[in-house]
């Protein structure tokens, strides 16, 4: 965390003046488009890619060096890759990230706990966070995810992961819910049931039309008012839960995110300066470098650049896209980028700090 705090003025200068030139501290790796779910809010399984090999990831990680603090190892379903634990190990050995975050649909109840244990044991100096995606309860969840028995299989995965959490102090478990038109009215009921599973964190994100997920025109985003009601409920629950230390800081950032999303959707503009392309980046399974997954516009391909991330990151096309972001040409409530943006927004940091002090 200290690495992030010390880097804030440097990234602010990079965004404002173009120097010092910095590699991103928050990187999402989509390691595959393959997925064994058929979600009504996602069509990523329709996409195909010549996936990076473990040797190619090694070259990428060497190019990134110690810059990344936070890796999100995403998909598709990342645990479908037989070498997934090896990819995480390579990232750990070369980049020494503070956090390795892994979302999963939980379907592979026999495989996921085995691989999770490998990752936790092979990456002892990183906080390994596994977020189980649950959008409703029982058959309602199965209907959204398009797979009969999904919820029951996810519960088997969750039970095994909870046993692992007792063994590995660097392993934490979260539950992630995508709030869409399909479940927005049920968020209070969904929350009350899922919180009984005793996750280390419960996070939500609004369903968006993303190029990456092949959901443009899908009409999955809830109305501003419907989402606002859900967000107000979740914010109230955050207030009521007893949390301290780092958890209280996390809670304050999450509350700010819930407040921001309706503002972004209604005003249709960036509420905070966006640091996508400065402090955060996304890499597709076949090596395209994106600033974010909403537009998924490539600023260069790593294979074509001989796996030199900096060559792409500091190239002319990247510079053009950065100017567009600075000018506010796009806006979105993407959670991953939003939390990075909040960290680099001084008024938000003061607000979070004051909230923590009041809570104590």
């Amino acid at each position: 965390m200290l690495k992030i705090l010390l880097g804030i003025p440097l990234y602010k200068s990079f965004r404002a003046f173009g120097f010092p030139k910095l590699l991103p501290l928050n990187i999402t790796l989509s390691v595959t488009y393959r997925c064994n779910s058929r979600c009504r809010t996602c069509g990523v399984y329709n996409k195909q890619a010549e996936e990076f090999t473990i040797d190619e990831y090694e070259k990428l990680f060497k190019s990134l060096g110690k810059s990344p603090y936070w890796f999100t190892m995403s998909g598709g379903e990342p645990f479908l890759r037989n070498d997934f634990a090896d990819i995480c190990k390579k990232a750990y050995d070369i980049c020494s990230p503070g956090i390795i975050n892994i979302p999963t649909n939980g379907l592979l109840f026999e495989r996921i706990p085995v691989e999770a244990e490998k990752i936790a044991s092979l990456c002892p100096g990183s906080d390994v966070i596994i977020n189980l995606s649950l959008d409703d309860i029982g058959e309602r969840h199965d209907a959204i995810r398009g797979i009969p028995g999904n919820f029951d299989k996810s519960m088997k995965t969750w039970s095994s992961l909870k046993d692992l959490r007792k063994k590995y102090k660097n392993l934490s478990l979260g539950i992630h819910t995508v709030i869409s038109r399909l479940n927005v009215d049920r968020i209070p009921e969904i929350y009350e049931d899922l919180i009984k599973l005793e996750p280390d964190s419960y996070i939500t994100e609004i369903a968006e039309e993303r190029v990456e997920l092949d959901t443009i025109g899908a009409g999955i985003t809830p109305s501003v008012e419907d989402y606002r009601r859900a967000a107000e409920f979740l914010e109230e629950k955050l207030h009521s839960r007893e949390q301290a230390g780092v958890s209280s800081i996390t809670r304050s950032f999450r509350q700010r995110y819930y407040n921001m999303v309706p503002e972004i959707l209604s005003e249709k503009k960036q509420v905070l300066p966006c640091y996508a392309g400065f402090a955060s980046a996304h890499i597709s399974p076949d090596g395209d470098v994106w600033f974010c997954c909403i537009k998924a516009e490539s600023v260069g391909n790593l294979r074509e650049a001989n796996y030199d991330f900096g060559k792409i990151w500091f190239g002319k096309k990247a510079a053009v896209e950065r100017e567009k972001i600075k000018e506010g040409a796009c806006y979105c409530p993407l959670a991953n980028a939003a939390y990075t943006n909040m960290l680099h927004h001084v008024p938000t940091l003061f607000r979070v700090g004051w909230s923590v002090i009041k809570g104590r």
Side-chain angles (χ1 to χ4, degrees):
M1 191 63 182
L2 181 62
K3 180 178 180 180
I4 291 179
L5 294 176
L6 293 174
I8 287 173
L10 299 178
Y11 278 102
K12 289 180 74 68
S13 177
F14 181 29
R15 190 181 190 280
F17 308 112
F19 63 85
K21 294 183 180 299
L22 301 169
L23 296 175
L25 60 86
N26 178 357
I27 296 181
T28 298
L29 288 181
S30 290
V31 298
T32 184
Y33 287 137
R34 289 177 286 146
C35 191
N36 47 355
S37 283
R38 291 297 180 264
C39 303
R40 294 168 65 185
T41 56
C42 177
V44 71
Y45 53 85
N46 291 317
K47 304 182 73 172
Q48 295 184 358
E50 184 184 345
E51 297 171 359
F52 258 34
T53 65
I54 190 69
D55 291 337
E56 289 179 303
Y57 276 119
E58 181 175 6
K59 294 175 184 177
L60 166 61
F61 296 144
K62 286 180 178 178
S63 178
L64 289 168
K66 304 297 183 182
S67 176
Y69 175 81
W70 183 305
F71 273 113
T72 297
M73 303 293 193
S74 185
E77 170 52 49
F79 285 101
L80 283 172
R81 286 197 60 144
N82 293 328
D83 58 355
F84 183 54
D86 297 327
I87 294 172
C88 294
K89 171 64 171 170
K90 287 288 185 184
Y92 177 79
D93 287 343
I94 297 170
C95 301
S96 303
I99 294 173
I100 298 175
N101 181 53
I102 305 168
T104 177
N105 59 33
L107 279 170
L108 302 173
F109 61 89
E110 293 179 335
R111 177 177 176 78
I112 292 171
V114 173
E115 295 302 300
E117 181 167 20
K118 286 182 185 177
I119 295 166
S121 63
L122 292 171
C123 308
S126 291
D127 290 327
V128 178
I129 305 168
I130 297 183
N131 283 318
L132 183 63
S133 298
L134 295 171
D135 292 343
D136 211 314
I137 309 302
E139 292 181 357
R140 287 189 175 96
H141 174 74
D142 297 351
I144 293 175
R145 292 286 169 151
I147 300 293
N150 188 319
F151 189 81
D152 289 341
K153 291 177 180 178
S154 294
M155 289 303 96
K156 291 180 181 179
T157 297
W158 185 258
S159 177
S160 297
L161 289 175
K162 285 185 72 174
D163 290 338
L164 282 180
R165 184 173 58 179
K166 300 172 185 175
K167 182 178 179 181
Y168 295 95
K169 300 301 182 183
N170 66 325
L171 177 64
S172 61
L173 306 179
I175 292 176
H176 177 275
T177 297
V178 176
I179 301 178
S180 70
R181 288 184 179 273
L182 303 171
N183 64 359
V184 65
D185 293 332
R186 281 184 40 77
I187 289 303
E189 292 88 349
I190 293 169
Y191 172 88
E192 296 295 355
D193 276 335
L194 294 182
I195 209 67
K196 294 174 184 176
L197 297 174
E198 301 179 332
D200 296 309
S201 63
Y202 177 72
I203 59 177
T204 69
E205 186 168 9
I206 191 168
E208 299 172 85
E209 297 187 7
R210 303 184 189 178
V211 172
E212 178 210 14
L213 302 182
D214 196 26
T215 53
I216 300 301
I220 56 176
T221 305
S223 70
V224 175
E225 287 309 312
D226 285 345
Y227 178 82
R228 193 189 306 275
R229 284 192 292 272
E232 287 173 353
F233 168 82
L234 293 168
E235 186 178 0
E236 180 183 343
K237 287 298 180 180
L238 281 172
H239 272 297
S240 66
R241 293 186 70 193
E242 289 294 329
Q243 295 175 318
V246 174
S247 294
S248 65
I249 297 172
T250 303
R251 176 189 61 192
S252 297
F253 275 110
R254 197 161 294 145
Q255 289 170 336
R256 177 59 180 141
Y257 175 72
Y258 291 149
N259 289 328
M260 276 173 40
V261 173
E263 193 176 350
I264 294 169
L265 294 177
S266 57
E267 296 187 11
K268 300 185 185 302
K269 67 177 184 180
Q270 293 179 14
V271 172
L272 299 182
C274 184
Y275 279 78
F278 298 92
S280 61
H282 194 122
I283 300 173
S284 74
D286 50 2
D288 279 336
V289 177
W290 307 332
F291 285 170
C292 79
C293 63
I294 301 297
K295 295 169 65 178
E297 292 183 355
S298 176
V299 294
N301 185 275
L302 286 160
R303 283 174 173 145
E304 296 173 3
N306 196 28
Y307 309 97
D308 185 343
F309 184 90
K311 182 178 180 180
I312 295 172
W313 193 246
F314 302 123
K316 292 181 179 179
K317 190 170 183 179
V320 170
E321 292 302 314
R322 283 194 184 95
E323 286 302 312
K324 292 179 182 178
I325 291 173
K326 284 177 61 177
E327 293 167 2
C330 57
Y331 65 91
C332 74
L334 179 66
N336 198 309
Y339 288 112
T340 303
N341 298 343
M342 285 187 275
L343 280 169
H344 292 85
H345 187 245
V346 174
T348 295
L349 289 178
F350 274 114
R351 192 177 295 118
V352 168
W354 179 242
S355 176
V356 173
I357 291 170
K358 285 196 302 180
R360 289 178 178 174

